[in-house]
Amino acid sequence: MTMTEYFFDLPTTASSLSVYSDIERYDPTSPRDFRPFAIGEFVIRRVPLRGTLYTNYYILHEGTVIGHQISSPSEEDCRMHQRRHAAIPVRAAHHAPNSETPMFGDVVLQGRIAALLGAGGEMDCASVAHALRMQISKVSPVLEQMADEHRIYRRGTRHRYIYRAA
């Protein structure tokens, strides 16, 4: 059978085309998952790259970022990044900028806020702070950051925003 005979013998009925109906297209407006997850002793933070299909995965160990990659990491990947991070000389830390808080230090707080809003409907900043037994000054910047990254929805005026889960 030649190639042209093969193509002319393909069925063209609607039932034969239904095989392709299961293909999903990328929707840039659909919500993306931002929630951190754990692999062994490592915490993985997902940061979807806007306008693309890709997601950056930041690997955290004891509150510090030890590596990042585009593909979803396995436990072996995490251990490799841990070995690389441990091999960095201590004197390199003297050249690092002084920062009191580790990068992504609010990951646990963001996870607690997302779980609270997912279970509790809509809440303002004071209600979130009261439910988490924290000060408003600690919770408010995290809520604003999560809303700016479209991980939670924000409505209302700048004097009293109302937040809900995405």
Side-chain angles (χ1 to χ4, degrees):
M1 177 183 283
T2 66
M3 187 60 82
T4 55
E5 291 172 352
Y6 174 77
F7 282 117
F8 285 116
D9 287 342
L10 287 176
T12 57
T13 62
S15 63
S16 66
L17 297 176
S18 66
V19 174
Y20 300 105
S21 64
D22 294 339
I23 298 173
E24 282 192 37
R25 300 240 183 246
Y26 169 65
D27 182 14
T29 60
S30 66
R32 310 264 306 269
D33 196 6
F34 281 88
R35 293 175 296 176
F37 61 96
I39 296 179
E41 61 185 286
F42 304 96
V43 176
I44 310 300
R45 178 164 185 220
R46 296 179 262 218
V47 181
L49 300 174
R50 291 184 188 260
T52 67
L53 294 168
Y54 303 110
T55 302
N56 259 340
Y57 293 91
Y58 288 90
I59 302 165
L60 289 84
H61 183 64
E62 297 177 356
T64 59
V65 177
I66 59 173
H68 67 92
Q69 61 190 50
I70 292 287
S71 61
S72 183
S74 65
E75 191 165 3
E76 184 56 39
D77 293 332
C78 296
R79 299 227 180 274
M80 181 213 32
H81 283 291
Q82 184 181 28
R83 286 190 298 270
R84 284 184 183 172
H85 186 72
I88 296 173
V90 177
R91 60 187 160 91
H94 296 299
H95 301 292
N98 288 334
S99 75
E100 295 294 324
T101 60
M103 188 176 181
F104 306 130
D106 56 351
V107 171
V108 174
L109 178 57
Q110 290 175 1
R112 290 177 63 197
I113 289 172
L116 178 67
L117 292 176
E122 296 186 340
M123 302 175 95
D124 65 345
C125 183
S127 301
V128 171
H130 178 72
L132 296 175
R133 294 189 173 104
M134 297 182 72
Q135 296 178 353
I136 295 175
S137 60
K138 300 287 185 192
V139 173
S140 178
V142 177
L143 283 169
E144 290 176 15
Q145 177 189 3
M146 290 174 72
D148 290 341
E149 294 175 353
H150 303 290
R151 297 186 332 192
I152 58 174
Y153 294 117
R154 172 176 58 197
R155 68 175 178 83
T157 65
R158 67 183 177 92
H159 297 290
R160 184 168 183 258
Y161 285 122
I162 303 296
Y163 299 96
R164 68 180 171 93

